Amino acid sequence: MTMNASFEQIGGIFSQYDSFVILSHVRPDGDAIGSQIALGFALMAIGKKVRLINEDGVPENLAFMLGSDRVETPPDEPLEVEVAIALDTASKVRLGERALNAASKAKVWLNIDHHISNPGYGDVNRIDGTSPATGQILYQLIKALNLPLTPESRDAIYVAVSTDTGSFQYPGTTAETYDMASDLIRQGLDLGRINRLIYDSYPFRRVELMRALLNTLECHNDHRVAHWDLTMATREALALKPEDSEGLIDIIRAIDTVVVAVFFEELPDGKIRVSMRSKDTRFNASKVCGTFGGGGHALAAGIRMPGPIEDAKVRVLAAIDAELQTF
Ligand code: AMP
Ligand code: MN
Ligand code: MN
């Protein structure tokens, strides 16, 4: 097992093998789908056989992405591929059961990610916690190996990095991120168009969801903690899609007094999805989520835990209060 593979080592795998399945996490975000497209089209451009598989397919909000029609939900039978590549996925189970079955014949597993909690479940791993998005690691990889930057890869890298950095705002954003963005623009990226498609094209029901969430908003601990929740009843009443709640936590994260923002969501399978954001480096959200089997980054992390939602709230909010006590 290689923990911190060089781009050259990864390039060696690309040269040695011919067929690849590229995977990313369930409930994919812009960095997940963007990373799959970015690397997928680079490998296709050098003549490799590539399948892009995601457990949940492409969400409606990312269907505008060039090349997203190549991302498929898993077939029933395992694919005849030599290499499986997991992108932007903190743990192997987050790839999803059907996607794992589709990739089960792969001889070599490559794992490229920026989650500090990633244990390195590949045969060859590159986990770079200093990168604000997996898309930025793939940009560096494409440049280092001199792989073609197709229009699909170019746009996908932008979507991946923009969505994971809160539009190039979060502290993980580096000078290199901006250098990369300016290079993508020089390579023909249509900035106004792509930002409109990412940020100004929401369905009306997302605003209705915002209204419903605001009605559940609660703050405690001197307004240092803010949380809201989404029940199955609201999900059904508004006919929500899973991606409709993406990014809404930033509204309560932006409250001036707030150090920790939490979003509790009832899922159709009875589990509770918890999203957590921290604005203080002393509060490590990944560590707190880790005590419940979740993970992520220091300032943005999540959990999938057993319900009911009331119990999940009590347990997680108590853990947050305990951690806040320490500073
Ligand atoms: P989210 O709140 O879903 O936007 O997730 C924030 C960050 O935490 C993302 O980078 C996720 O990949 C990560 N994350 C979310 N849920 C989990 C989980 N159950 N296990 C590990 N990492 C997670
Ligand atoms: Mn992601
Ligand atoms: Mn990411």
Side-chain angles (χ1 to χ4, degrees):
M1 199 242 263
T2 313
M3 250 337 253
N4 259 311
S6 65
F7 289 140
E8 289 66 31
Q9 279 172 294
I10 295 172
I13 293 176
F14 294 165
S15 318
Q16 196 181 341
Y17 297 99
D18 263 326
S19 56
F20 299 81
V21 58
I22 302 184
L23 310 164
S24 189
H25 60 81
V26 296
R27 276 189 73 141
D29 52 18
D31 195 24
I33 298 292
S35 292
Q36 289 188 271
I37 294 174
L39 184 57
F41 278 79
L43 291 179
M44 284 180 228
I46 55 166
K48 301 294 176 180
K49 285 203 251 356
V50 180
R51 295 283 292 265
L52 306 180
I53 302 290
N54 188 284
E55 182 84 357
D56 294 328
V58 177
E60 195 180 281
N61 65 318
L62 298 172
F64 73 87
M65 290 177 72
L66 212 53
S68 63
D69 52 338
R70 286 292 308 259
V71 180
E72 311 162 72
T73 50
D76 293 334
E77 296 301 317
L79 296 167
E80 298 297 332
V81 289
E82 296 162 298
V83 182
I85 308 178
L87 300 175
D88 193 47
T89 306
S91 62
K92 204 166 178 179
V93 290
R94 275 181 57 77
L95 292 167
E97 241 171 72
R98 288 175 303 123
L100 281 169
N101 174 57
S104 58
K105 286 194 172 173
K107 294 181 286 202
V108 178
W109 273 82
L110 177 57
N111 172 14
I112 303 177
D113 189 20
H114 67 129
H115 293 97
I116 44 172
S117 62
N118 192 312
Y121 51 83
D123 301 306
V124 174
N125 303 276
R126 185 168 176 111
I127 313 303
D128 179 0
T130 69
S131 193
T134 302
Q136 184 169 317
I137 306 174
L138 297 176
Y139 170 80
Q140 294 168 334
L141 177 68
I142 286 170
K143 288 278 151 178
L145 299 180
N146 250 314
L147 296 173
L149 186 73
T150 71
E152 290 88 354
S153 301
R154 177 198 65 203
D155 286 13
I157 289 167
Y158 182 85
V159 172
V161 177
S162 178
T163 54
D164 254 28
T165 56
S167 307
F168 302 89
Q169 290 179 53
Y170 298 153
T173 316
T174 62
E176 202 171 3
T177 315
Y178 277 87
D179 287 343
M180 180 202 78
S182 68
D183 182 41
L184 297 177
I185 295 167
R186 272 192 209 95
Q187 304 286 330
L189 175 90
D190 186 341
L191 193 69
R193 177 175 179 276
I194 203 153
N195 281 319
R196 177 171 53 75
L197 290 168
I198 304 170
Y199 299 111
D200 296 339
S201 302
Y202 291 121
F204 183 71
R205 59 174 192 274
R206 178 175 157 104
V207 184
E208 293 182 296
L209 167 60
M210 246 183 253
R211 173 162 50 199
L213 288 171
L214 283 166
N215 280 327
T216 72
L217 173 62
E218 282 178 52
C219 290
H220 75 269
N221 208 324
D222 292 331
H223 280 68
R224 289 198 295 167
V225 180
H227 60 93
W228 60 18
D229 53 68
L230 170 59
T231 59
M232 276 308 290
T234 302
R235 189 191 293 288
E236 280 158 14
L238 298 178
L240 297 177
K241 303 217 166 180
E243 65 270 22
D244 288 335
S245 57
E246 189 78 37
L248 290 181
I249 193 171
D250 287 343
I251 298 172
I252 53 174
R253 176 185 159 277
I255 299 168
D256 57 357
T257 54
V258 165
V259 176
V260 187
V262 204
F263 188 165
F264 297 93
E265 222 179 299
E266 273 181 347
L267 298 175
D269 65 4
K271 290 240 169 71
I272 308 301
R273 176 186 192 238
V274 181
S275 280
M276 194 180 293
R277 300 291 183 268
S278 161
K279 277 157 75 183
D280 187 323
T281 49
R282 289 173 299 176
F283 186 98
N284 186 334
S286 179
K287 188 180 120 195
V288 175
C289 288
T291 62
F292 296 97
H297 313 282
L299 302 183
I303 318 166
R304 239 169 225 241
M305 63 192 290
I309 193 165
E310 293 74 22
D311 294 356
K313 282 168 74 171
V314 169
R315 292 173 61 202
V316 172
L317 292 172
I320 291 171
D321 285 344
E323 186 67 18
L324 283 172
Q325 287 264 312
T326 64
F327 63 90

